[in-house]
Amino acid sequence: MSKPAPVFDVAAVRRDFPILEQEINGRAMVYLDSAASSQKPRPVIDTISAFYLTDNANVHRGLYELSRRATERFEAARRTMASFLNAGHEREVVWVRGATEAINLVAATWGAANLKPGDEVILTCLEHHSNIVPWQLVAQRTGAVLRYVDIDDQGRLRLDHLDQLLSARTRLMACGHVSNALGTINPIAEIARRVHAVGALLLVDGAQGAPHVRVDVQALDCDFYAVSGHKMCGPMGIGVLWGRRELLEAMPPYQGGGEMIDQVLPEASTWAAVPHKFEAGTPDVAGAVGMAAAADYLAAIGHEAMAAQEQQLIRHAQRALGNVPGVRVFGPVDPAERIAVFSFELAGVHPHDVATILDAEGIAVRAGHHCAQILMRRLQVPATTRASAYIYNTPDDFDRLAAALEVVRTVFA
Ligand code: PLP
């Protein structure tokens, strides 16, 4: 099989990820589980350790040099994320623990303040549980009703079904930018146009979007965008909620505590300005600095180069997997409509057995429902095996995967 020329130097990128240079079960490791969590490059690890070695102190409190420096690093990281997302203003960037917390924040605060019985929130059957359960919780509290947009036989959202669901009752749609289970890239700007036409808001779960696709929240014209640090080469436990400033300003706080207040009086308090109104307690400053370093790392490679590289990898992976008898890959066929996340079934073999044998071959993949049980039900499968690639993966990794799937077939023949 011919190997396409890379559009950036993958070998150089791989050298930034020492974790990849190890053997698992006596074989050079192939890491194909980046949709669950990406690996971290040396510049990100070094930035976090340098922060603790030289700049660590609590932020927004001290009148001394070290605290001023930590605060400046923290707020500079916010500016980096604002520019990564092309936000209109850095005050629109709220630090959170990850995409899950970003969505919970909006569901709990905006939802509680704005949803009433009979109002509708539109989700899709592609969503990760993080973009379903928070809405179920707020729907149970407010009497709002959830609706789900269906997919076609390639796992693409059916915009004709969205049009049927949209109405004067719709208050918000919450939709993933990219499906973690099928790799489908959703047409967010188009969805935003339709959602806004009925006067509703659009929240985008960008946990899988930000690592792979250039994100411009202004061009996407969404109202909220949730990002996870650990899926885009940053640390775990940090993420960003971007929201339109006027919406964030109108929303009640999420958690109460230090940092988020203006005045605390015996019976009630007043709030700090956004984004600090939503950042109660000591934040993960090193995490924020590390996430900004990850954004800088990806920006240095360049989103166009990343996307072009990924398109080549997808084509190669489709050929490699397509050559294994009994493999059925879910999701869009056209590489332009997907990222390099491949959920598949191997006829007659349970995904857990597939993953166990792949592990013995040194290949890390995920098997299960991928936190997308609504989607699994829609696909009428209990689970799938998922191989998900990122900037450090090569065509060889998919050749190794295809060869190991032949081993699985032999074992279960
Ligand atoms: N949304 C999607 C599409 C995801 O893939 C994930 C993680 O698997 C999440 C949300 C949750 O993100 P986090 O781990 O940052 O809470």
Side-chain angles (χ1 to χ4, degrees), residues 109-156:
T109 64
W110 179 89
N114 291 282
L115 293 174
K116 48 185 197 317
D119 283 349
E120 294 185 358
V121 172
I122 299 184
L123 309 174
T124 86
C125 66
L126 287 175
E127 298 318 305
H128 187 281
H129 297 162
S130 294
N131 200 23
I132 295 176
V133 183
W135 300 109
Q136 290 176 338
L137 293 173
V138 72
Q140 282 157 12
R141 271 186 233 120
T142 60
V145 176
L146 305 181
R147 306 262 180 234
Y148 290 84
V149 182
D150 197 12
I151 49 174
D152 67 13
D153 58 3
Q154 286 190 33
R156 299 171 297 195

Side-chain angles (χ1 to χ4, degrees), residues 210-233:
H212 292 266
V213 181
R214 179 185 290 288
V215 178
D216 178 337
V217 288
Q218 299 188 64
L220 290 176
D221 198 27
C222 53
D223 301 290
F224 299 102
Y225 195 96
V227 188
S228 167
H230 71 98
K231 313 263 191 200
M232 49 171 278
C233 293

